[in-house]
Amino acid sequence: MSTARQEPLFTDDEFDEPPFEPMAAFPPGLLRPLNWNLLTAEEAEAEWLDLNAWVNWLRTSYGLPPTVIPPFWHRHDELVWELSALHQHWLNSYDPDGSPSGPLAWHRDFADARYRLREWVSTCGTKLDRDRPTRQTAWPGEPATVTTLETVIEDRDADFVQFVLADVDARRRVQARVRAGI
């Protein structure tokens, strides 16, 4: 029998900081679904940052390949809506006042969502180091869509920041037009 002391798997200081900073605390009560179409500029900015942190945690915690969560998920509405719904579901499932079986329900739904994510990643054509807009099929009577070539993106985080800034700016312009009655 060996008397050698085994090193602990984790040290106490590893648990001082959470893997991501979603929010200061859970909001009172369970969360409602998030509708990206109705968010103000300030709400969208906060949600983008929160979702990005959570997606980074999710992909690393579960070892998800880019065929499930690609680096440029934020550029594709179908991926944003799916990941946002998963995030809201996760927040509700792990709410301290939620059901003890919530995490199991989330994992069951997460398994289903991974199949949808794979299908949408395949359809939209985003890859590890390059991206293109999701192709749209023109219906009869609509103008033909222009096929866009792939763009190589060398810095994913810089691309995300620019994307969010553009989204927030566009929302501010809409809000200003609404306030002006235009």
Side-chain angles (χ1 to χ4, degrees), residues 71-107:
F72 310 111
W73 59 266
H74 57 277
R75 292 171 158 253
H76 299 275
D77 289 344
E78 61 275 32
L79 300 175
V80 170
W81 286 98
E82 182 76 35
L83 291 167
S84 181
L86 274 174
H87 181 220
Q88 294 298 310
H89 186 11
W90 184 86
L91 288 170
N92 276 299
S93 295
Y94 284 90
D95 185 286
D97 295 326
S99 168
S101 63
L104 289 174
W106 184 85
H107 279 93

Side-chain angles (χ1 to χ4, degrees), residues 64-65 67-68 111 113-123:
L64 300 172
T67 55
V68 176
R114 288 195 310 271
Y115 287 107
R116 289 190 302 273
L117 286 164
R118 279 187 187 96
E119 181 180 342
W120 284 323
V121 169
S122 174
T123 300

Side-chain angles (χ1 to χ4, degrees), residues 138-176:
W139 286 2
E142 293 179 344
T145 57
V146 178
T147 302
T148 306
L149 299 176
E150 292 179 338
T151 302
V152 174
I153 302 172
E154 295 183 18
D155 187 338
R156 186 265 172 207
D157 290 336
D159 181 75
F160 178 78
V161 168
Q162 286 305 116
F163 179 88
V164 171
L165 290 174
D167 179 68
V168 169
D169 184 55
R171 290 172 190 270
R172 284 189 178 129
R173 287 193 309 273
V174 169
Q175 287 171 237

Side-chain angles (χ1 to χ4, degrees), residues 119-134:
E119 181 180 342
W120 284 323
V121 169
S122 174
T123 300
C124 75
T126 189
K127 301 197 173 46
L128 181 62
D129 62 344
R130 57 194 181 278
D131 190 61
R132 65 168 168 76
T134 300

Side-chain angles (χ1 to χ4, degrees), residues 14-22 52-54 56-58 60-61 90:
E14 287 181 279
F15 295 106
D16 289 344
E17 295 294 322
F20 65 97
E21 301 279 339
N52 187 54
W54 184 79
N56 278 330
W57 168 82
L58 180 70
T60 57
S61 293
W90 184 86

